[in-house]
Amino acid sequence: MLQSFIRSAALGLVIAGGVVGASHAQSGASVEVGGAPMYANKTIAENAPNASNLTTLVAAVKAAGLVDTLNGAGPFTVFAPTNAAFEKLPAGTVDTLVKPENKAMLTKILTYHVVPAKATSEAAMKMIKDDGGKHVVKTVEGESLTLAMKGDKLTVTDAKGNVATVTQADVMQKNGVVHVIDTVLMP
């Protein structure tokens, strides 16, 4: 059930987002996520469906009705959990969350991964340093995340104490920036 939902959700986002094909606006070349080019002149909703490692996130965004939001002007900083991050959740969690009756909870979880600003990893690291090792950011959902460094890696800690590591930073988008993470954050 989930696999067919993911495929149809990805197709829906591709149709809604248009065809990707322009050059990377900042560097002249695209950055790749999940083996697919991500273009800085496309929105988050236009780029994400092409990344093979973000299909569960794309399906969840569609189920929550957030495609138009992530196609909006932003700016957004999105901490994007990979498929492997979703697989770390207890069995059946994703299937349960994408059911229509759980849309409010799914929306809460997804908007907890979005900060209403454009923050590159360099900016985040400066804020962390300036704040003595940790920096708290408010999410679109309303609760906070704590940014910190573990060695040379940027980490994000949720309200439950779960720690996600940024595995790919600074994927620039027309309406913000995406940082790929290895753990789903929970409000």
Side-chain angles (χ1 to χ4, degrees), residues 20-132:
V20 176
S23 66
H24 193 269
Q26 291 190 337
S27 67
S30 63
V31 173
E32 286 194 6
V33 175
M38 301 286 118
Y39 298 102
N41 63 346
K42 299 288 182 183
T43 67
I44 295 163
E46 291 171 325
N47 275 321
N50 300 310
S52 64
N53 63 340
L54 300 179
T55 57
T56 304
L57 176 62
V58 168
V61 166
K62 179 148 174 84
L66 295 173
V67 174
D68 288 342
T69 300
L70 292 179
N71 233 354
F76 305 113
T77 297
V78 176
F79 295 102
T82 62
N83 296 343
F86 280 99
E87 289 169 8
K88 292 189 322 189
L89 295 172
T93 301
V94 175
D95 286 330
T96 299
L97 285 172
V98 297
K99 290 180 179 177
E101 62 267 25
N102 297 321
K103 183 178 178 179
M105 176 55 75
L106 179 60
T107 300
K108 181 178 175 104
I109 292 168
L110 292 174
T111 57
Y112 189 59
H113 288 77
V114 181
V115 176
K118 183 177 181 179
T120 64
S121 62
E122 183 179 338
M125 289 186 283
K126 181 177 180 343
M127 291 181 274
I128 291 165
K129 183 179 177 188
D130 290 349
D131 288 352

Side-chain angles (χ1 to χ4, degrees), residues 122-144:
E122 183 179 338
M125 289 186 283
K126 181 177 180 343
M127 291 181 274
I128 291 165
K129 183 179 177 188
D130 290 349
D131 288 352
K134 292 184 179 183
H135 181 73
V136 176
V137 294
K138 189 170 183 180
T139 68
V140 169
E141 181 270 337
E143 293 186 50
S144 297

